[in-house]
Amino acid sequence: MPKILIVGGGYAGFYTAWKLEKWLRKGEAEVTVVDPLPYMTYQPFLPEVAAGSIEPRHAVVSLRRHLKSTRVLAAKVTKIDHASKTATITPNAGEAWEESYDIIVVTAGAVSRTFPIPGVADNAIGLKTIEEATAIRDQILTNFDKAAVLPPGPERERLLTVVVVGGGFAGIEVFAELRSFASALLQKYPELSFEETHFHLIEAMGRIMPEVSLPTSHWVLKNLAERGAQVHLDTQLKSAVDGVIELSTGESFAAGTIIWTAGVMATPDVKNSDLPIEERGRLRVRADLRVEGDDGIVEGAWGCGDVAAVPDLTGGGVGGFCVPNAQHAVRQGKTLAKNLVATLRGEKVHDYFHKNLGAVAGLGLGIGVFQSGKIALKGLLAWFAHRGYHGLAMPSWERKLRVIWGWVNNFFLGRDIVSLEAREHPRVAFETFAARPRPAAPAAAPAPAAPAVEPAKKEPALVGAPASSPAPEATAAAAAPAAAAAAPAEGAEKPARAPRARAPRKTTPKSE
């Protein structure tokens, strides 16, 4: 059987493998997916995860649970040598090895793209993974707990200040969701006031959300302003050292949470291959998703998703290519699987063509926007459209039910506001009270050797003294150290004293 190696288990990789399982005949090909994470993350739900509206595990899809016949490897592909059709697999545990393949599908996704702004790498957090969204949620809750026990002042307001960099869809959604989350939290924290919470969004361009019309973006700005959130347009972040935000406008303030959403880039690992890469670091592919080099099609190599420069045949892309979002990645994965099966069977392949039907965004509980052509919805109706679309777009009915059931629970019970930030150091409590072996006692130092003493000159014995008795002077000199050595230490048990010889007592006869 031909071996198909899929690099990456995100949107595009998961959907490619999922559809191959559906369309391949038994024994037609062997499929392997390589990804260091055991799940696919549904990224449109990350803002709601950060705001506590969706449980983190409900926003991910287990690869092993839903890929029944696909071989899943918890590892990274660190090198691709397509000339020899081998890939270097570096597992999460164990030694790396060379994996041979017949067909390779590169769907390695994208990572956050940052700029060398002082302090960003040390103090900011992205929004590309479920771990990041969960950490943002826990940090917001922990900062509220800390601020509630502090007196009013700069430190309290720093903890309650949130900064989001980037005014695209992801940035606006997480910004608005967190504003809604913080407003709801104030009901549980009577020590804090609304005026002490500060939300700032920084956007270098003159508008937000380029996917919607200008009037719709203006409505979003107005809505955010009414909710106490401030958007800085035509503004750049100059520094974030020690959490102190410095803007190009000269404004400066301290922030407790800094979130970076200002762009993505193709996974840099794709450069460790002999496959053709374009100037922005993306894989060069044709509209039918086959890899293309200077000499034409590269046989046995395919690519799609955020890591690939896929031509947008509708003419609506940026620079002639599809924008990196979930809507394209899901559909490209399905098209790639269909074309791959067609190639194995000698059938015709088809170009990827998808015209964007609209954009929908959630801006907090009960607030959303929807744009399709000239039709725009705002407020509650758009919020229902947002949840309805993404609830149905979540892969597998098992995941759909978990997400929708969570929404229903939150409607009646409210959002869970427990921070689990301590999970990052789960052994602290155990280590603090764990009993440890006592350190070994140090070995006693050896006693110094006594100095050699010359034998004393024999003196004539005194009259009445034993023949072996020393002279009186010697006796007195030796008596002092001997007495000192014999004296017990304070608190120690005294040695038994030798009985003294006593004169016989004169006995008196008892009276009868």
Side-chain angles (χ1 to χ4, degrees):
M1 291 189 295
K3 296 180 179 180
I4 302 173
L5 180 65
I6 301 177
V7 182
Y11 283 118
F14 172 79
Y15 272 91
T16 299
W18 204 26
K19 295 305 178 182
L20 284 176
E21 285 193 349
K22 180 179 179 180
W23 295 328
L24 284 173
R25 303 187 186 104
K26 186 177 181 179
E28 194 170 8
E30 176 186 318
V31 181
T32 299
V33 172
V34 183
D35 196 289
L37 297 175
Y39 50 78
M40 182 213 85
T41 302
Y42 192 76
Q43 293 183 6
F45 281 157
L46 294 183
E48 289 200 61
V49 171
S53 296
I54 295 179
E55 285 300 309
R57 284 186 176 87
H58 296 173
V60 297
V61 180
S62 170
L63 299 181
R64 291 185 179 273
R65 177 166 185 167
H66 296 282
L67 299 179
K68 308 294 185 181
S69 59
T70 300
R71 178 183 172 216
V72 178
L73 299 178
K76 289 184 66 175
V77 175
T78 51
K79 185 179 179 181
I80 299 173
D81 185 359
H82 192 66
S84 62
K85 291 194 173 181
T86 59
T88 302
I89 309 294
T90 304
N92 294 343
E95 299 294 328
W97 75 88
E98 300 295 322
E99 180 89 6
S100 62
Y101 62 83
D102 299 296
I103 299 171
I104 193 165
V105 178
V106 182
T107 57
V111 297
S112 296
R113 181 193 62 178
T114 59
F115 306 106
I117 300 172
V120 167
D122 299 321
N123 299 289
I125 186 170
L127 192 66
K128 287 290 293 178
T129 68
I130 196 70
E131 293 81 7
E132 290 173 326
T134 306
I136 291 170
R137 172 186 178 273
D138 287 342
Q139 184 171 320
I140 295 290
L141 290 169
T142 300
N143 285 353
F144 265 71
D145 287 333
K146 291 178 180 178
V149 298
L150 292 175
E155 178 60 16
R156 190 150 111 168
E157 296 201 18
R158 181 191 72 82
L159 291 169
L160 301 178
T161 298
V162 177
V163 173
V164 176
V165 184
F169 246 62
I172 289 294
E173 283 192 293
V174 72
F175 183 65
E177 289 282 359
L178 291 179
R179 175 67 271 185
S180 173
F181 186 37
S183 298
L185 282 177
L186 290 172
Q187 300 174 14
K188 309 297 182 183
Y189 291 84
E191 307 91 342
L192 306 176
S193 66
F194 182 86
E195 291 71 21
E196 291 177 300
T197 62
H198 305 284
F199 280 74
H200 299 268
L201 184 135
I202 303 166
E203 171 53 49
M205 296 177 61
R207 63 162 297 178
I208 60 170
M209 303 175 74
E211 297 88 348
V212 303
S213 66
L214 195 59
T216 301
S217 71
H218 288 166
W219 181 89
V220 173
L221 290 174
K222 180 182 177 182
N223 178 267
L224 289 172
E226 291 172 350
R227 293 157 59 187
Q230 186 174 357
V231 178
H232 305 262
L233 297 178
D234 294 314
T235 305
Q236 296 180 353
L237 176 64
K238 306 299 290 185
S239 175
V241 175
D242 297 328
V244 178
I245 301 298
E246 295 182 9
L247 304 179
S248 58
T249 58
E251 189 176 355
S252 179
F253 50 86
T257 304
I258 305 172
I259 304 169
W260 181 275
T261 65
V264 297
M265 65 179 182
T267 301
D269 292 341
V270 74
K271 297 178 182 179
N272 299 328
S273 72
D274 55 355
L275 297 173
I277 306 297
E278 49 103 58
E279 60 272 8
R280 294 186 60 184
R282 298 175 297 182
L283 191 67
R284 291 172 55 187
V285 300
R286 293 161 50 97
D288 58 14
L289 306 179
R290 288 182 289 183
V291 177
E292 183 178 38
D294 295 335
D295 300 326
I297 296 173
V298 178
E299 293 296 331
W302 301 73
C304 68
D306 295 353
V307 76
V310 180
D312 190 341
L313 302 183
T314 68
V318 178
F321 298 101
C322 296
V323 295
N325 62 23
Q327 189 175 152
H328 281 302
V330 168
R331 289 170 173 79
Q332 289 170 9
K334 295 177 181 179
T335 301
L336 194 153
K338 188 177 295 184
N339 283 347
L340 187 48
V341 172
T343 303
L344 292 174
R345 299 173 184 171
E347 299 171 358
K348 183 181 178 181
V349 298
H350 299 277
D351 290 342
Y352 172 73
F353 182 93
H354 172 67
K355 187 174 182 179
N356 188 4
L357 300 178
V360 61
L363 304 176
L365 291 180
I367 307 172
V369 291
F370 170 80
Q371 182 81 47
S372 180
K374 295 182 179 180
I375 301 175
L377 301 177
K378 311 174 187 70
L380 183 62
L381 189 60
W383 180 74
F384 277 119
H386 161 76
R387 286 209 161 176
Y389 171 77
H390 286 297
L392 294 176
M394 186 72 175
S396 85
W397 281 104
E398 178 257 341
R399 291 287 106 178
K400 296 182 201 295
L401 291 176
R402 290 184 187 273
V403 170
I404 295 173
W405 184 246
W407 283 336
V408 172
N409 282 340
N410 286 347
F411 179 79
F412 290 103
L413 304 177
R415 287 183 279 203
D416 198 326
I417 61 170
V418 175
S419 170
L420 295 178
E421 193 175 48
R423 81 197 184 288
E424 296 182 5
H425 306 285
R427 297 187 67 250
V428 169
F430 179 80
E431 288 179 334
T432 301
F433 302 103
R436 291 175 171 81
R438 292 179 180 275
V453 180
E454 293 184 4
K457 188 175 180 181
K458 191 173 182 180
E459 297 289 335
L462 297 176
V463 178
S468 59
S469 297
E473 298 82 2
T475 303
E490 184 179 352
E493 185 179 350
K494 295 182 179 180
R497 183 178 297 176
R500 289 187 299 178
R502 296 182 180 180
R505 280 191 306 177
K506 187 176 179 179
T507 59
T508 304
K510 294 181 180 181
S511 60
E512 295 182 2

